[in-house]
């Protein structure tokens, strides 16, 4: 008998509002180990905010976030930093440090958070850049890279510490189909070969269905649907049907 | 908190003078609270880092910042100080000539430059040159999400970004103050020799007679404080910046204004304390 996979990440009753605007109104979510959870929803519904809460960049007004059963919202800044070492984030705009070249960007978490030698760091940089297909861009600065290359470099940096959980904020937004496929393949490869759990926020239906082992739909601050890709395809919820319609048509 | 204060402006009918003053005090206290919180969190990150047997800061980064802050500011500090020392000696000499005590010019220039002008003008130069650069740099990084990325990796943005900058300006301000004092006195000596018939030898003797170690100590102690103030305000303004390119511009302006204002205010308070308790 196969043991059930345990939850790597759990969010319970997350509430957040900016001024009078309610962004999240009691969001519950759980991500099992080795899952790729795709979060969808209309623009501005709080998907990226949810990722910021997981990473502890934003503190919810109410609710709890558990990573490997450890409550993150209660942790001190230092303890939170230790947990963050196990979580990688690929930002929508890549968020590479513009004053450092690609190699230095990937090396940054290794230099700052580990006791690895220069040689070890160099070999990790080479390995991660090769994984994302940027071996020849090591000495280039972010401003010299295309959008797709920046995202891949951001991915290499997020992978530097071999995190257990990877958060992707619109990883394929604004990219051409070839670059999008490359990034999608990479997320699948990471799950299958390195057993990395991922949470992906995306609008791209094709990406969502090709990546997701679980899917969630966020609307008006609540998670209105959470289930398998098939449950999504067969959902009767009007907004979900409307959101998925182009993909459904494409599928048929 | 900021929104609480500003909401008074929006929802209130017509804010009275007292209400406006209240809002101003509230905003000031919020800023002060933010700066102290940043300082405490930076210190705790450093302590934790040391406890984990990791370097809290890379020496290369510290030396990069000291080079930028210190070496880069020398020409401007020297230029400004020479001209201010020169003008000061000239105007003082012109007045003292009326009373026939022009020989006091070296004492006046050296003491006032050591206790007051040197630290103050160095502070003003650093606030506008280095403080502005710190705020703009950190502000741009905040706007581009680089600060969040550093924080999200668990590196600790305060330790990584704030520590080398504050430490560099804190250590280098006294050095630049000493350079400013020497330059100012030299400027004074030059114009005294040229226009007031005070020879370099006499000027030097007078400086050695009237200038006391406690004057130099007063100037140096103040300059440490000014360096810390400028660094803290500049980094805080940069990291708390909101609103893209305009936000960076506004934060930089606010940083320079707040730094210069605070440096001048602290200078006055220091002078009162020093004159009262250590005459």
């Amino acid at each position: 008998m196969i043991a059930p996979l345990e939850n790597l990440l759990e969010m319970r009753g997350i509430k957040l509002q900016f001024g009078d605007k309610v962004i999240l109104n009691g969001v519950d979510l759980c991500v099992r180990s080795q899952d790729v959870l795709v979060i969808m929803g209309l623009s501005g519904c709080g998907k990226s905010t949810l990722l910021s809460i997981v990473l502890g960049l934003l503190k919810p007004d109410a609710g709890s976030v558990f990573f490997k059963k450890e409550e993150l919202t209660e942790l001190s800044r230092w303890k939170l930093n230790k947990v963050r070492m196990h979580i990688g984030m690929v930002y929508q705009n890549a968020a590479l440090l513009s004053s450092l070249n690609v190699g230095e960007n990937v090396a940054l978490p290794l230099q700052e958070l580990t006791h690895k030698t220069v040689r070890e760091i160099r070999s990790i940089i080479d390995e991660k850049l090769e994984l994302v297909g940027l071996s020849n861009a090591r000495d280039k600065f972010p401003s010299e890279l295309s959008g797709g290359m920046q995202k891949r470099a951001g991915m290499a940096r997020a992978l530097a510490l071999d995190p257990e959980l990877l958060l992707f904020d619109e990883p394929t937004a604004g990219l051409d189909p070839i670059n999008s496929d490359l990034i999608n393949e990479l997320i699948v490869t990471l799950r299958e070969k390195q057993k990395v759990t991922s949470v992906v926020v995306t609008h791209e239906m094709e990406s969502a269905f090709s990546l997701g082992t679980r899917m969630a739909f966020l609307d008006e601050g609540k998670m209105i649907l959470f289930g398998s890709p098939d449950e999504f395809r067969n959902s009767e919820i009007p907004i979900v049907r409307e959101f998925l319609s182009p993909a459904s048509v494409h599928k048929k | 908190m900021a929104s609480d204060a500003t909401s008074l402006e929006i929802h209130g009918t017509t804010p009275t003078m007292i209400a406006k003053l209240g809002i101003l005090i509230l905003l000031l206290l919020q800023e002060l609270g933010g700066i102290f919180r940043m300082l405490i969190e930076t210190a705790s990150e450093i302590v934790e880092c040391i406890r984990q047997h990791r370097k809290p800061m890379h020496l290369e980064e510290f030396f990069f910042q000291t080079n930028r802050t210190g070496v880069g500011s020398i020409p401007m500090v020297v230029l400004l100080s020479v001209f201010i020392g020169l003008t000061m000696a000239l105007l003082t000499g012109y007045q003292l000539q009326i009373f026939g005590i022009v020989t006091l010019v070296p004492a006046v220039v050296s003491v006032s430059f050591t206790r007051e002008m040197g630290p103050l003008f160095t502070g003003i130069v650093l606030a506008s040159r280095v403080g502005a650069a710190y705020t703009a740099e950190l502000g741009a990084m905040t706007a581009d999400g680089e600060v969040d990325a550093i924080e999200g990796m668990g590196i600790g943005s305060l330790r990584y970004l704030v520590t080398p900058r504050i430490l560099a300006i804190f250590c280098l301000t006294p050095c630049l103050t000493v350079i400013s004092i020497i330059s100012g006195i030299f400027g004074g000596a030059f114009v005294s020799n040229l226009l007031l018939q005070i020879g370099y030898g006499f000027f030097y003797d007078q400086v050695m007679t009237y200038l006391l170690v406690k004057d130099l100590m007063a100037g140096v102690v103040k300059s440490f404080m000014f360096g810390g103030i400028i660094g803290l305000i500049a980094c805080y303004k940069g990291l708390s910046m909101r609103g893209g390119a305009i936000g960076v511009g506004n934060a930089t302006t606010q940083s320079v204004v707040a730094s210069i204002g605070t440096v001048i205010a602290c200078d006055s308070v220091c002078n009162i304390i020093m004159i009262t308790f250590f005459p």
Side-chain angles (χ1 to χ4, degrees):
Chain A
M1 186 179 156
I2 300 166
L5 293 170
E6 64 176 45
N7 287 338
L8 187 70
L9 176 74
E10 246 185 282
M11 298 177 98
R12 289 184 202 154
I14 298 293
K15 289 186 180 180
L16 181 78
Q17 66 181 71
F18 295 134
D20 295 335
K21 196 182 177 198
V22 177
I23 309 292
L24 301 170
N25 191 14
V27 172
D28 295 310
L29 190 75
C30 58
V31 186
R32 294 177 310 194
S33 283
Q34 296 168 45
D35 258 356
V36 174
L37 171 71
V38 175
I39 302 177
M40 289 181 287
L42 303 177
S43 298
C45 72
K47 304 182 295 293
S48 302
T49 307
L50 210 57
L51 296 188
S52 295
I53 289 173
V54 173
L55 213 51
L57 297 174
L58 282 174
K59 210 175 164 87
D61 297 330
S64 313
V65 181
F66 295 90
F67 177 73
K68 292 167 85 178
K69 293 184 178 146
E70 191 168 16
E71 161 72 292
L72 301 190
T73 46
E74 300 291 317
L75 292 182
S76 67
R77 200 180 151 89
W78 175 255
K79 284 185 179 159
L80 184 63
N81 278 344
K82 285 184 92 173
V83 174
R84 282 166 172 163
M85 288 169 65
H86 302 283
I87 306 174
M89 169 102 177
V90 180
Y91 295 84
Q92 191 172 0
N93 65 343
L96 296 167
L97 269 67
S98 52
S99 55
L100 305 180
N101 65 30
V102 171
E104 289 167 339
N105 263 289
V106 180
L108 185 67
L110 297 163
Q111 286 168 341
E112 294 294 328
L113 301 169
T114 68
H115 292 104
K116 293 191 187 301
T117 60
V118 176
R119 184 176 287 189
E120 285 169 331
I121 290 174
R122 201 170 291 164
S123 96
I124 293 172
I125 296 170
D126 290 340
E127 180 201 329
K128 302 301 175 192
L129 287 180
E130 198 182 326
L131 188 71
V132 298
L134 282 180
S135 299
N136 54 353
R138 187 189 165 129
D139 298 322
K140 287 190 174 165
F141 282 87
S143 57
E144 298 168 322
L145 303 177
S146 67
M149 288 168 91
Q150 283 188 12
K151 280 204 176 156
R152 282 187 279 151
M155 209 159 166
R157 185 180 66 182
L159 289 169
L161 293 174
D162 292 323
E164 291 165 74
L165 175 66
L166 265 175
L167 309 174
F168 293 88
D169 190 3
E170 306 272 8
T172 54
L175 298 185
D176 60 80
I178 296 170
N179 266 311
S180 294
D181 285 348
L182 220 124
I183 287 182
N184 289 339
E185 277 168 26
L186 213 56
I187 297 172
V188 173
T189 310
L190 285 170
R191 174 178 176 266
E192 288 173 353
K193 293 196 176 155
Q194 297 185 22
K195 313 290 180 207
V196 175
T197 309
S198 302
V199 177
V200 183
V201 162
T202 185
H203 279 122
E204 321 268 327
M205 286 303 115
E206 285 198 29
S207 292
F209 282 101
S210 65
L211 292 175
T213 55
R214 308 276 286 168
M215 296 173 100
F217 196 92
L218 193 63
D219 185 46
E220 292 184 349
K222 288 200 179 259
M223 209 57 95
I224 57 167
L225 184 59
F226 185 83
S228 65
D230 281 339
E231 283 175 87
F232 255 72
R233 282 197 194 97
N234 301 325
S235 170
E236 294 298 324
I237 301 170
I239 192 161
V240 177
R241 288 190 69 82
E242 205 178 330
F243 198 84
L244 300 186
S245 55
S248 309
V249 169
H250 186 74
K251 205 79 191 167
K252 283 167 192 170
Chain B
M1 278 296 276
S3 59
D4 291 346
T6 46
S7 65
L8 280 171
E9 288 174 323
I10 299 160
H11 300 301
T13 46
T14 313
T16 60
M17 274 300 283
I18 293 174
K20 281 181 185 171
L21 190 70
I23 292 167
L24 203 71
I25 292 171
L26 194 63
L27 288 173
L28 187 73
L29 289 175
Q30 282 168 11
E31 297 282 74
L32 270 176
I35 291 172
F36 276 111
R37 203 174 136 197
M38 183 187 82
L39 183 66
I40 289 165
E41 285 186 354
T42 309
S44 71
E45 276 185 16
I46 293 169
V47 170
E48 285 298 339
C49 214
I50 294 167
R51 269 197 210 159
Q52 300 287 319
H53 305 290
R54 290 210 317 259
K55 283 188 283 185
M57 172 182 67
H58 289 287
L59 276 180
E60 310 90 80
E61 179 62 17
F62 172 66
F63 288 129
F64 170 73
Q65 294 297 344
T66 49
N67 184 44
R68 218 163 66 122
T69 306
V71 181
S73 300
I74 289 175
M76 187 144 174
V77 166
V78 168
L79 193 76
L80 197 78
S81 303
V82 165
F83 282 110
I84 289 170
L86 197 142
T87 311
M88 202 177 160
L90 188 65
L91 294 179
T92 316
Y94 176 71
Q95 293 296 323
L96 292 181
Q97 260 178 346
I98 300 169
F99 304 102
I101 46 174
V102 74
T103 49
L104 283 180
V105 167
V108 172
V109 171
S110 59
V111 173
S112 57
F113 230 96
T114 307
R115 287 191 77 116
E116 184 65 21
M117 299 298 184
L120 191 63
F121 283 109
T122 306
I124 291 170
V125 167
L126 289 182
S128 43
R129 189 184 175 275
V130 180
Y134 283 1
T135 306
E137 208 168 89
L138 295 178
M141 287 180 80
T142 306
D144 290 344
E146 293 179 29
V147 175
D148 274 351
I150 293 169
E151 193 66 21
M153 282 186 270
I155 291 171
S157 56
L158 296 177
R159 175 182 68 81
Y160 182 72
L161 297 170
V162 172
T163 312
R165 286 173 172 80
I166 290 188
L167 215 56
I169 199 165
F170 181 75
C171 296
L172 266 291
T173 310
C175 304
L176 286 167
T177 297
V178 172
I179 292 174
S180 165
I181 292 168
I182 295 168
S183 310
I185 294 174
F186 174 79
F190 176 74
V191 84
S192 299
N193 184 54
L194 198 72
L195 299 172
L196 301 172
Q197 287 78 50
I198 298 174
Y200 287 117
F202 180 75
F203 197 101
Y204 176 78
D205 287 342
Q206 290 293 95
V207 169
M208 286 293 129
T209 308
Y210 287 102
L211 193 62
L212 306 175
V213 174
K214 74 169 185 179
D215 295 323
L216 188 63
M217 286 303 291
V220 171
V221 168
K222 274 201 289 190
S223 64
F224 269 116
M225 202 173 67
F226 294 166
I229 288 169
I230 295 164
L232 280 172
I233 292 176
C235 291
Y236 173 73
K237 284 288 178 188
L239 292 175
S240 60
M241 186 287 307
R242 293 285 172 274
I246 291 178
V248 175
N250 287 341
T252 308
T253 309
Q254 286 169 12
S255 161
V256 174
V257 171
S259 298
I260 293 176
T262 314
V263 161
I264 293 172
C266 282
D267 183 55
S268 303
V269 173
C270 279
N271 285 338
I272 293 168
I273 292 170
M274 282 172 181
I275 298 293
T276 312
F277 297 105
F278 311 101

